[in-house]
Amino acid sequence: MDDKKIIFSGVQPSGNLTLGNYLGAIKNWVSLQNDYRCIYAMMDLHTITVRQTPADVRRRTLEVLALYIACGIDPEENILFIQSHNSAHAELAWVLNCYTYMGELQRMTQFKDKSSRHAENINAGLFTYPVLMAADILLYQADYVPVGKDQMQHIEICRDIAQRFNAVYGDVFTVPEGLLPKVGANVMSLQEPTKKMSKSDPNPKAYISMMDDMNVIAKKIKSSVTDSEGVIEYREGDETKAGINNLLTIMSAVTKRSIDDIVKDYAGKGYGDFKNDVAEAVVECIRPIREEYDRIIADKQYLMDICSKGAESARRISQRTLKKVYKKVGFVL
Ligand code: AQP
């Protein structure tokens, strides 16, 4: 490896990727790929913390890879692989489980949220999800982890686990930092704008899927929930403005213009005009990605070749960390 700093991140193939996943994570990955050694995975092990249809997970895993590439991630320059193709993730997660406290995991917002949404299946994997995520990151000695705001709590616990382990055994792990995008770190639901936009939301009108038809995307934005005040203004923390704040954020992220500039353009104008323009801007952002995606997804062999080459590199890098960890905790090598 060269001396570039290391980046690790990934998305779970637990549904069709949303505009939130794109603006919060993948768009940022594209901008980082020239300056860092980047490793991006399709996080299939994480998906089964919630019941999935196996054929859907299988299909979506390659779709996520095709989307990474369509968004601009260069498969020649970055390591792209399927998480389950590298067993070191599960192996390190077991070790780290023994260095993580129940109390820490109980405080995780995502666990509380997902266990209330899936009350019939509050499994141990859902509970220890952040430990697997810590293993994902620490295996590659990642310096930075570009994620959306919802994942920052998991980055914090990852740092705590790494520091705890290092305090006992010496400098085994690089302690990583989360990297948020400047705009779009927390894209909200179009129907309940105080909740984050999520690919597993039961209401498809709540999210823009990167797989939606262009007219569906426009319709979803035009029917997004706003307020009755009729003023296009960004007011941080004001729940009644959550819908407009969200549309302004989305507009800013897809057009690369500041929110202040956008607000000035709409002084005295109504929500109808604004929503039409946001819809058009989002469609223009997603259209070229979709065209590229449609081309790439047709070539399964190309995608499988990337996965197998990526898994080989991922296994090679992570074995160094895993061996070190096994040696430190006393396993015979
Ligand atoms: N709404 C969002 N705004 C900004 N960033 C987001 N991310 C997710 N939703 C938003 C970021 O996308 C990356 C991949 O997320 P994930 O697939 O690992 O799972 P998640 O964070 O739980 O996202 P979802 O879409 O809500 O998935 P489900 O519904 O399966 O739980 C992460 O960097 C995340 O921050």
Side-chain angles (χ1 to χ4, degrees):
M1 263 211 213
D2 47 38
D3 54 9
K4 283 182 178 171
K5 296 260 187 200
I6 299 169
I7 284 205
F8 179 89
S9 199
V11 175
Q12 309 181 57
S14 50
N16 286 333
L17 267 55
T18 68
L19 185 65
N21 297 128
Y22 176 63
L23 297 179
I26 302 172
K27 189 164 177 271
N28 210 11
W29 303 355
V30 177
S31 67
L32 296 163
Q33 64 184 337
N34 294 329
D35 300 322
Y36 296 90
R37 180 84 175 118
C38 300
I39 306 168
Y40 297 126
M42 286 70 79
M43 313 304 286
D44 55 349
L45 295 178
H46 286 277
T47 63
I48 60 167
T49 53
V50 171
R51 289 281 177 268
Q52 304 285 345
T53 305
D56 288 348
V57 176
R58 206 169 290 127
R59 175 178 48 77
R60 282 198 215 108
T61 303
L62 285 192
E63 289 176 354
V64 170
L65 172 61
L67 201 58
Y68 288 176
I69 301 169
C71 289
I73 307 281
D74 183 346
E76 297 299 323
E77 294 297 324
N78 304 285
I79 297 175
L80 305 177
F81 74 103
I82 300 174
Q83 184 190 23
S84 63
H85 286 187
N86 183 6
S87 58
H89 290 251
E91 291 173 82
L92 181 62
W94 169 252
V95 176
L96 298 183
N97 263 317
C98 304
Y99 295 81
T100 309
Y101 298 115
M102 302 285 282
E104 292 178 298
L105 294 173
Q106 265 152 359
R107 286 196 291 275
M108 293 296 111
T109 315
Q110 192 183 78
F111 171 68
K112 289 190 224 167
D113 172 47
K114 287 203 173 163
S115 50
S116 69
R117 280 194 282 137
H118 303 279
E120 74 302 339
N121 180 25
I122 305 176
N123 60 72
L126 192 62
F127 189 62
T128 59
Y129 174 114
V131 184
L132 178 58
M133 180 163 155
D136 301 334
I137 298 164
L138 300 179
L139 266 182
Y140 300 95
Q141 306 290 352
D143 298 280
Y144 299 108
V145 189
V147 286
K149 199 167 166 207
D150 63 311
Q151 289 294 344
M152 282 310 263
Q153 199 184 25
H154 292 161
I155 302 290
E156 278 311 310
I157 197 172
C158 170
R159 289 170 56 85
D160 292 343
I161 297 168
Q163 279 161 345
R164 184 173 303 140
F165 198 91
N166 286 352
V168 181
Y169 301 106
D171 278 340
V172 177
F173 297 123
T174 302
V175 180
E177 281 176 41
L179 274 188
L180 290 178
K182 287 196 187 74
V183 191
N186 200 16
V187 178
M188 307 308 273
S189 155
L190 297 177
Q191 291 301 314
E192 288 175 79
T194 51
K195 269 179 36 186
K196 80 159 189 167
M197 181 182 284
S198 177
K199 62 173 119 64
S200 56
D201 195 309
N203 179 1
K205 284 188 179 165
Y207 58 82
I208 305 280
S209 161
M210 299 298 284
M211 297 295 137
D212 280 339
D213 284 342
M214 300 303 133
N215 59 339
V216 172
I217 294 176
K219 253 193 215 149
K220 285 183 179 178
I221 291 178
K222 287 180 197 169
S223 62
S224 65
V225 169
T226 47
D227 56 81
S228 54
E229 193 186 21
V231 180
I232 299 164
E233 202 169 80
Y234 189 91
R235 274 189 243 137
E236 182 77 53
D238 180 345
E239 285 205 358
T240 56
K241 287 316 262 189
I244 288 294
N245 288 352
N246 192 35
L247 292 181
L248 281 166
T249 304
I250 292 173
M251 185 73 159
S252 169
V254 299
T255 60
K256 300 196 182 87
R257 297 182 61 214
S258 75
I259 289 182
D260 283 352
D261 277 354
I262 298 167
V263 167
K264 276 184 207 139
D265 283 356
Y266 290 93
K269 291 194 182 158
Y271 289 172
D273 287 341
F274 177 53
K275 284 182 176 177
N276 282 340
D277 292 350
V278 177
E280 199 179 307
V282 172
V283 163
E284 286 323 307
C285 165
I286 296 183
R287 193 197 304 279
I289 297 175
R290 273 302 296 280
E291 286 169 2
E292 194 56 10
Y293 169 86
D294 289 342
R295 197 181 60 75
I296 297 166
I297 195 67
D299 193 346
K300 292 277 176 325
Q301 194 53 51
Y302 167 70
L303 294 169
M304 286 310 294
D305 288 348
I306 291 172
C307 292
S308 82
K309 197 171 124 227
E312 210 175 288
S313 305
R315 284 192 290 263
R316 185 168 30 78
I317 300 166
S318 55
Q319 276 307 315
R320 288 202 287 265
T321 304
L322 192 64
K323 286 233 169 79
K324 203 164 166 186
V325 168
Y326 276 10
K327 191 167 168 209
K328 292 283 186 187
V329 298
F331 297 163
V332 174
L333 295 179

